[in-house]
Amino acid sequence: MTFQDRIKQGIPSELPSKKTYEKAINHAPKRMDILSNEEKELAIRNALRYFDKKHHTVLAKEFAEELKEYGRIYMYRFRPEYQFYARPINEYPGNSVQAKAIMHMIQNNLDEAVAQHPHELITYGGNGAVFQNWAQYLLTMKYLSEMNNEQTLVMYSGHPMGLFPSNANAPRVVVTNGMMIPNYSKQNDWEKYNALGVTQYGQMTAGSFMYIGPQGIVHGTTITVLNAGRKIAKNGEPLAGKLFLTSGLGGMSGAQPKAGNIAGCVTVCAEVNPKITEIRLSQGWIDEKITDLDELAARVKIAKENKEVVSIAFLGNIVEVWEKFAEENVYVDLGSDQTSLHNPWAGGYYPAGISFEESNVMMVENPPLFKEKVQESLRRQVVAINKHTAKGTYFFDYGNAFLLEASRAGADVMAKNGIDFKYPSYVQDIMGPMCFDYGFGPFRWVCTSANPADLEKTDAIACEVLEEIKKNSPKEIQQQMTDNIQWIKGAQENKLVVGSQARILYADAEGRMKIAEAFNNAINNGEISQPIVLGRDHHDVSGTDSPYRETSNIYDGSKFTADMAIQNVIGDSFRGATWVSIHNGGGVGWGEVINGGFGMVLDGSLEAEKRLKSMLFWDVNNGIARRNWARNEGAVFAIKRAMEVEPNLKVTLPNLVDDQILKDLF
Ligand SMILES: NC(=O)c1ccc[n+]([C@@H]2O[C@H](COP(=O)([O-])OP(=O)(O)OC[C@H]3O[C@@H](n4cnc5c(N)ncnc54)[C@H](O)[C@@H]3O)[C@@H](O)[C@H]2O)c1
């Protein structure tokens, strides 16, 4: 059967043969055994809904085994044999170019070279799911291959509810992931309802089909490291000879060493998982691997002295590195952490003092003890970090809920006022005031031809557009423009593509709209051979309400509200997005964030041009308007500028209050 026929077939009517569990693949850790026996029955009943009754006896037994063995029902038997990768768009069956582009994106999110746990349909972040099980994947692809441009596919946490009549201007797919009644949004609620098969954690770009491999994050990480470097520079000196110490070589964290190299410093990144470390080594994302702490300290001293630009993976626990460097007086200039603390009890954070293998067993067999060990380890890690910051290290939270979980563990991370943390998050200090408030965020595109020549062409177009815009940019955004032009010029050379032919850069509304328009024209005149998908990370100006990350630099009390993200996705959907998504959880954890995103297919048409202008303008300026209302200086500047350009935009501006007026009122 051809690839196309397999897609059109959906869930096969006859059972495919049972699969062996491939040990060489990086698998998701066993999930918590949280369901009662009655609930387990319900989980099996739920899973069997996808299959003809004649298969129920066989599958009920098999799914019960999966639930017991892995804590979830993945339906491994139904994982297709064909290879997963972003195939050229014409290879997908279907009646809608938009739907085919979405298939291209889905396949990329499940590509073995891209996804963290491909067989469990997890793209990144330990639990960032595209689908909950293989039946959902098969059915979704079938629907996409059948749909026309007068239909919309409705997806509930990976489950394709079906095709509904809509219209040509409506999104082709509407995705919701993990949306819960607010009181049912605790960590264990995810464990329970995910095990029942009724919800999933979509992270940000996993469940919205917008992941583009580590490149997506390399750029943001480079900007963060560069600007953190600018913050600590005493006389504007570069990062040469300075040390950046952090952890994690996973889906996003793996970008840190590459970013460190681009920014020009010495990077040490600890990682406990040997498989992941090998993958990053083989991909060239790290230069060296060291397994011994003494050797590491000695190597780092030499690298600093010689001002080497080098990234070193330490195979072991990050806590030990912080402690060792404190003991040996290795000065850390920049420090952070990117273990997956949004998911602390199920494999996101490995406690010091216990082996990787032991941890994997303990988290399933003795969750209370595992939790104790994690919290003990976090306290230990903070003691060591505090020793370094006392000497001058600039430590920042990398949006992984490190400070939040450390505070919950009773570690010494609170500021004197007992409300704030003593260290900033990267958004508070860097991303927020320097990027988001001005509308700069992680705009990205994917060439659905899968042809590197198209990507090269788009890089050149984007560079030209940015250089043109920069000529008349105000001084407030000159640094951003310069960094992004430099990035796009070096993009080909830095070989950032893993998976689909994709590119990311930080742009504001003007940049995004002008680049997109230029792409659309290039498709129209044949310079670019096939449609382009536009998108962005949810981690952006308007897409995400997350009090400890994206909206951590909102200080009017509204950072615990989620109106912006909800408004954003609704607004995108009626302004021309090809697909939209809204998620609970992502980055900092289930219940801690609401985030949304979009995908937009450019096909060179006039309709696409209208859509891109309308939607991209809103997609950035919604967030700037909100940040402006929160009295953020950069955002007030940016929204006034936007109103000058677009007379139909009328935004409420805040009146600032003199401190004097509020004195002695209470
Ligand atoms: N890069 C960014 O810009 C960015 C932005 C926002 C949030 N984040 C957050 O960063 C975290 C990491 O994301 P990811 O996709 O890389 O997750 P991931 O789970 O793929 O990777 C985390 C890695 O940390 C390792 N690890 C866990 N505990 C460790 C320890 N004590 N010592 C050494 N290694 C340890 C794990 O083995 C794993 O490989 C997430 O919470 C994510 O939300 C990243």
Side-chain angles (χ1 to χ4, degrees):
M1 207 189 272
T2 63
F3 168 71
Q4 297 217 345
D5 288 339
R6 281 184 197 282
I7 295 287
K8 288 196 278 189
Q9 167 188 248
I11 298 171
S13 52
E14 290 312 314
L15 290 186
S17 56
K18 215 174 155 186
K19 302 269 181 318
T20 45
Y21 188 80
E22 286 178 36
K23 290 239 163 70
I25 294 283
N26 186 28
H27 287 284
K30 184 175 174 181
R31 305 295 186 194
M32 197 188 270
D33 180 10
I34 196 170
L35 302 182
S36 66
N37 282 347
E38 226 172 51
E39 288 166 339
K40 282 178 182 160
E41 271 178 33
L42 181 58
I44 307 286
R45 194 183 294 279
N46 287 348
L48 292 175
R49 280 183 284 195
Y50 290 102
F51 306 97
D52 193 296
K53 240 180 153 59
K54 68 182 179 195
H55 300 309
H56 284 187
T57 314
V58 175
L59 292 180
K61 211 162 148 265
E62 195 167 310
F63 293 165
E65 271 163 28
E66 285 192 17
L67 197 55
K68 195 163 155 230
E69 193 69 19
Y70 312 110
R72 295 292 186 273
I73 301 168
Y74 298 112
M75 310 181 181
Y76 286 121
R77 179 194 284 267
F78 294 91
R79 179 172 55 80
E81 300 284 348
Y82 52 74
Q83 215 190 328
F84 283 78
Y85 64 97
R87 293 159 198 262
I89 189 165
N90 289 341
E91 290 185 19
Y92 295 99
N95 314 310
S96 158
V97 168
Q98 297 186 347
K100 289 186 193 188
I102 297 171
M103 289 193 249
H104 176 95
M105 302 293 285
I106 289 177
Q107 287 241 308
N108 188 60
N109 271 30
L110 295 171
D111 181 340
E112 281 183 11
V114 172
Q116 187 184 16
H117 307 306
H119 289 191
E120 287 80 28
L121 304 111
I122 301 292
T123 303
Y124 71 95
N127 54 0
V130 194
F131 299 96
Q132 297 178 63
N133 57 55
W134 287 104
Q136 293 180 343
Y137 164 80
L138 292 170
L139 202 49
T140 299
M141 295 297 273
K142 178 176 159 60
Y143 278 132
L144 287 169
S145 75
E146 287 169 351
M147 78 185 298
N148 60 49
N149 285 343
E150 299 281 324
Q151 290 176 305
T152 293
L153 176 63
V154 174
M155 300 196 58
Y156 285 35
S157 283
H159 169 68
M161 195 57 80
L163 293 171
F164 289 74
S166 60
N167 63 69
N169 290 322
R172 295 281 70 78
V173 179
V174 174
V175 172
T176 53
N177 277 313
M179 299 312 292
M180 301 296 287
I181 299 301
N183 272 344
Y184 297 84
S185 222
K186 300 274 182 303
Q187 181 69 21
N188 275 356
D189 293 320
W190 168 70
E191 297 278 1
K192 175 173 167 179
Y193 295 101
N194 186 229
L196 281 176
V198 294
T199 194
Q200 74 175 3
Y201 191 83
Q203 277 280 9
M204 294 193 152
T205 52
S208 60
F209 325 138
M210 195 42 79
Y211 191 67
I212 55 167
Q215 177 191 175
I217 216 72
V218 172
H219 182 51
T221 313
T222 305
I223 288 191
T224 306
V225 179
L226 266 180
N227 284 312
R230 286 176 187 137
K231 267 189 99 67
I232 60 162
K234 298 214 168 61
N235 301 304
E237 76 279 6
L239 270 170
K242 293 187 180 171
L243 171 63
F244 172 38
L245 171 61
T246 185
S247 58
L249 286 173
M252 288 199 273
S253 48
Q256 296 175 106
K258 185 105 182 167
N261 279 9
I262 299 173
C265 57
V266 178
T267 305
V268 171
C269 197
E271 168 58 62
V272 286
N273 186 334
K275 263 189 202 156
I276 303 262
T277 311
E278 282 316 310
I279 290 176
R280 292 300 179 213
L281 249 184
S282 69
Q283 287 172 340
W285 287 72
I286 44 177
D287 303 320
E288 297 171 19
K289 177 182 90 173
I290 294 181
T291 52
D292 177 82
L293 278 171
D294 288 323
E295 198 187 314
L296 178 72
R299 175 70 186 96
V300 167
K301 283 178 191 164
I302 293 172
K304 285 190 81 172
E305 181 124 351
N306 295 341
K307 298 198 168 169
E308 287 178 56
V309 175
V310 66
S311 53
I312 304 166
F314 173 69
L315 179 57
N317 203 295
I318 181 63
V319 179
E320 290 166 13
V321 184
W322 281 109
E323 289 175 345
K324 181 73 179 174
F325 285 5
E327 246 168 59
E328 296 254 337
N329 254 325
V330 177
Y331 183 71
V332 178
D333 298 87
L334 298 177
S336 196
D337 184 278
Q338 247 191 70
T339 54
S340 276
L341 275 160
H342 68 272
N343 176 31
W345 325 125
Y349 182 90
Y350 285 82
I354 314 176
S355 75
F356 177 62
E357 294 75 19
E358 256 180 286
S359 287
N360 282 335
V361 175
M362 193 191 290
M363 72 182 77
V364 180
E365 293 185 353
N366 195 347
L369 181 63
F370 185 70
K371 185 171 176 182
E372 236 173 70
K373 296 284 176 198
V374 166
Q375 295 200 320
E376 190 184 303
S377 179
L378 281 170
R379 288 192 293 272
R380 226 175 106 181
Q381 186 169 345
V382 169
V383 167
I385 290 170
N386 287 349
K387 283 186 190 159
H388 286 272
T389 55
K391 292 185 218 161
T393 298
Y394 174 66
F395 182 86
F396 57 96
D397 183 284
Y398 218 142
N400 59 339
F402 175 78
L403 292 175
L404 182 65
E405 282 308 330
S407 69
R408 287 172 178 164
D412 176 17
V413 289
M414 299 312 290
K416 284 207 181 84
N417 66 10
I419 302 166
D420 300 317
F421 297 126
K422 64 162 100 171
Y423 302 116
S425 88
Y426 72 121
V427 174
Q428 272 177 305
D429 260 23
I430 300 166
M431 281 293 172
M434 294 183 188
C435 298
F436 293 163
D437 286 354
Y438 290 98
F440 283 84
F443 178 59
R444 59 184 57 179
W445 63 90
V446 176
C447 301
T448 64
S449 62
N451 185 350
D454 274 347
L455 184 63
E456 206 176 327
K457 186 86 219 164
T458 59
D459 283 346
I461 293 174
C463 187
E464 221 172 277
V465 171
L466 290 184
E467 282 182 326
E468 197 49 43
I469 297 176
K470 185 171 182 283
K471 286 182 191 159
N472 296 311
S473 292
K475 67 173 186 337
E476 284 82 352
I477 62 170
Q478 281 288 327
Q479 184 70 62
Q480 291 304 334
M481 298 302 294
T482 309
D483 284 351
N484 280 290
I485 290 167
Q486 217 171 321
W487 162 265
I488 197 76
K489 281 188 171 157
Q492 292 281 333
E493 198 185 317
N494 280 320
K495 296 195 172 38
L496 297 156
V497 169
V498 178
S500 56
Q501 292 297 316
R503 185 67 72 222
I504 181 166
L505 55 77
Y506 266 51
D508 62 0
E510 183 186 9
R512 299 184 205 204
M513 284 158 64
K514 287 191 170 155
I515 290 171
E517 188 182 358
F519 289 170
N520 200 47
N521 290 340
I523 297 166
N524 179 277
N525 68 26
E527 271 179 85
I528 292 172
S529 65
Q530 294 288 346
I532 284 180
V533 171
L534 298 182
R536 57 167 174 74
D537 194 343
H538 294 194
H539 172 58
D540 194 9
V541 182
S542 319
T544 296
D545 276 301
S546 177
Y548 299 105
R549 212 169 80 176
E550 285 79 355
T551 40
S552 58
N553 74 322
I554 298 279
Y555 301 105
D556 67 351
S558 72
K559 68 176 168 184
F560 295 99
T561 65
D563 295 312
M564 178 178 74
I566 299 293
Q567 285 284 354
N568 211 63
V569 80
I570 294 173
D572 281 356
S573 69
F574 66 78
R575 286 184 175 86
T578 309
W579 74 100
V580 287
S581 54
I582 185 85
H583 301 184
N584 166 19
V588 287
W590 180 251
E592 306 284 357
V593 47
I594 299 292
N595 61 91
F598 74 88
M600 174 176 270
V601 176
L602 299 181
D603 58 4
S605 64
L606 202 59
E607 290 71 35
E609 186 178 320
K610 279 189 212 149
R611 283 199 286 264
L612 76 87
K613 285 184 178 161
S614 167
M615 201 214 75
L616 291 176
F617 185 83
W618 156 257
D619 189 64
V620 177
N621 280 301
N622 168 40
I624 299 183
R626 187 270 179 109
R627 288 165 191 275
N628 134 84
W629 187 237
R631 295 180 282 262
N632 290 12
E633 210 180 311
V636 175
F637 168 86
I639 207 70
K640 283 182 181 164
R641 236 187 118 219
M643 284 194 274
E644 280 165 22
V645 178
E646 172 52 71
N648 279 339
L649 177 71
K650 302 226 181 291
V651 171
T652 316
L653 299 174
N655 290 298
L656 303 184
V657 180
D658 288 339
D659 289 349
Q660 196 59 31
I661 303 275
L662 302 174
K663 240 179 155 189
D664 305 326
L665 276 182
F666 304 101

